[in-house]
Amino acid sequence: QTVVTQEPSLTVSPGGTVTLTCASSTGAVTSGYYANWFQQKPGQAPRALIYYTNYRHSWTPARFSGSLLGGKAVLTLSGVQPEDEAEYYCLLYYGGAQGVFGGGTKLTVL
Amino acid sequence: EVQLVESGGGLVQPGGSLRLSCAASGFIFSNYWMTWVRQAPGKGLEWVANIKQDGSERYYVDSVKGRFTISRDNAKNSLFLELNSLRAEDMAVYYCARVPDAPDAPRTDFWGQGILVTVSS
């Protein structure tokens, strides 16, 4: 049973920078896990932000960036806006397009 | 404009069955892998199943294997999820989503708005 782990919650000040991480119970996350990141606000469907670790979708603001660091996938938000308050999920693929989501990080902008 | 619209949800008793549908438009449906993701009330996202463009490959999360069946009708631009032997823990909002470039370099881009499945006696 593969487990993907994220911080349960984080708080950031408006205009600040915050880093969310995504770890795999199988070991270091590499580019081969094709990490995806999603944002979900209450009552809404998830919205794709990042794919292939660090590629932004056409609709993703430039303040969102993805990377690998210390064996984890990382989502960095720079210049955080109040509207960035949301739940963030990572998704790792383990072959055959079979995915596992992380438990989500609740980001509070305060 | 890519659109995915789920339907077929509702209230079902434990042990019962339901068939979810997802109507796709705005893209060439037969060119894409598709996936179902669910979210129990107040919980996180859970990947449930996906299906290859021609339906020849299907994958499921362990908790639904043998009970759920993913299928598609490319002529009708539709994705389905047959839910059988439903349990209380299957109660969730079910989302369909598109998965470009699977299985070699999968990513999930567009999502439907979700449909609620309630399992209760």
Side-chain angles (χ1 to χ4, degrees), chain A residues 44-68:
Chain A
Q44 296 184 15
R47 181 176 76 130
L49 292 174
I50 299 287
Y51 63 100
Y52 299 169
T53 302
N54 57 3
Y55 286 75
R56 281 186 289 268
H57 289 279
S58 59
W59 54 81
T60 303
R63 63 182 181 273
F64 292 88
S65 62
S67 63
L68 295 175

Side-chain angles (χ1 to χ4, degrees), chain B residues 74-117:
Chain B
N74 288 339
K76 296 182 178 179
N77 293 331
S78 294
L79 176 72
F80 306 102
L81 187 67
E82 190 85 31
L83 292 68
N84 296 312
S85 303
L86 281 162
R87 307 166 180 167
E89 55 265 34
D90 297 317
M91 184 165 72
V93 173
Y94 284 75
Y95 297 98
C96 67
R98 192 178 78 165
V99 189
D101 304 321
D104 296 324
R107 56 192 170 101
T108 302
D109 56 6
F110 290 96
W111 296 64
Q113 84 288 350
I115 190 76
L116 178 63
V117 172

Side-chain angles (χ1 to χ4, degrees), chain A residues 2-3 5-6 12 14-15 20 28 33-34 42 50 55 58 60 66 74 79 86-87 91 94 96 101 106 110:
Chain A
T2 301
V3 177
T5 302
Q6 299 181 243
V12 62
L20 289 66
Y33 286 83
Y34 303 105
I50 299 287
Y55 286 75
S58 59
T60 303
V74 171
E87 193 87 24
L91 170 64
Y94 290 84
F101 283 95
K106 181 178 175 60
L110 202 56

Side-chain angles (χ1 to χ4, degrees), chain A residues 19-90:
Chain A
T19 297
L20 289 66
T21 69
C22 175
S24 172
S25 62
T26 60
V29 176
T30 66
S31 59
Y33 286 83
Y34 303 105
N36 284 222
W37 290 92
F38 303 90
Q39 178 192 65
Q40 187 180 35
K41 296 182 178 180
Q44 296 184 15
R47 181 176 76 130
L49 292 174
I50 299 287
Y51 63 100
Y52 299 169
T53 302
N54 57 3
Y55 286 75
R56 281 186 289 268
H57 289 279
S58 59
W59 54 81
T60 303
R63 63 182 181 273
F64 292 88
S65 62
S67 63
L68 295 175
L69 186 65
K72 299 179 181 181
V74 171
L75 176 69
T76 301
L77 284 71
S78 305
V80 171
Q81 303 295 308
E83 61 265 29
D84 296 333
E85 184 163 292
E87 193 87 24
Y88 291 84
Y89 294 93
C90 67

